[in-house]
């Protein structure tokens, strides 16, 4: 269904766009373009199945922001800080089994500052994230293409 020219959806800021990528290089190029819109204090909630490319996306965002790849999957340590301007906090909530762990880990300290915060497996602790955030969903894994959808902050 075509929308009349100039007509926007009621909630244009929250609309979701889906783009499909066949290669890791295409996903990385997309991430670099997305990174240019990020500012200190922004939160990006990233979800998708195991092997979908969440950490690949994070790596490309950090490389675009800081000019170097300083990332690795934080699955076993939960949280990494990457120096740069702006700094980046990379949190992976895959291993959160009990939400009470969140208070023990002190992850809430990552939010509300000048850093860009990238959170993998964010639905494991959705209450930790602010309501104003980007949400990126990656569909696909293994050798299949990836479809990436972004929900913009309201």
């Amino acid at each position: 269904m075509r929308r009349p020219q100039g007509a926007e959806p009621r909630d244009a800021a929250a609309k979701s766009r889906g783009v499909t990528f066949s290669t890791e290089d295409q996903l990385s190029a997309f991430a670099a373009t997305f990174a240019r819109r990020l500012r200190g204090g922004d939160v990006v909630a990233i979800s998708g199945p195991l092997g979908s490319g969440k950490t690949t996306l994070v790596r490309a965002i950090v490389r675009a922001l800081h000019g170097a790849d300083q990332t690795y999957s934080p699955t076993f340590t939960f949280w990494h800080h990457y120096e740069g301007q702006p700094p980046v906090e990379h949190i992976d909530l895959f291993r959160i089994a009990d939400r009470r762990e969140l208070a023990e880990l002190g992850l809430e300290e990552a939010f509300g500052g000048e850093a860009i915060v990238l959170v993998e497996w964010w639905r494991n602790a959705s209450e930790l994230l602010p309501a104003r955030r980007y949400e990126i969903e990656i569909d696909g894994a293994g050798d299949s293409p990836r479809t990436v959808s972004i929900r913009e902050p309201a």
Side-chain angles (χ1 to χ4, degrees), residues 13 17 20 24 41-42 46 68 78 86 98 113 116 124 134 140 148-149 151:
R17 300 184 307 258
T20 300
E24 185 175 318
D42 283 344
I46 306 166
F78 296 101
D98 184 334
I116 293 170
N124 288 352
Y134 290 93
V148 178
S149 300
R151 183 178 178 277

Side-chain angles (χ1 to χ4, degrees), residues 43 45 78-79 89-94 96 98-112 117-133:
V43 175
F78 296 101
W79 182 6
E89 305 293 348
H90 180 195
I91 299 171
D92 187 322
L93 300 173
F94 178 71
I96 296 295
D98 184 334
R99 292 176 187 253
R100 289 177 290 194
E101 293 177 81
L102 297 172
E104 295 171 20
L105 294 170
L107 296 176
E108 67 280 348
E109 294 174 22
F111 301 93
V117 184
L118 308 173
V119 184
E120 297 183 50
W121 298 98
W122 69 274
R123 287 187 178 99
N124 288 352
S126 58
E127 69 277 7
L128 183 66
L129 279 67
R132 187 187 182 290
R133 62 183 177 247

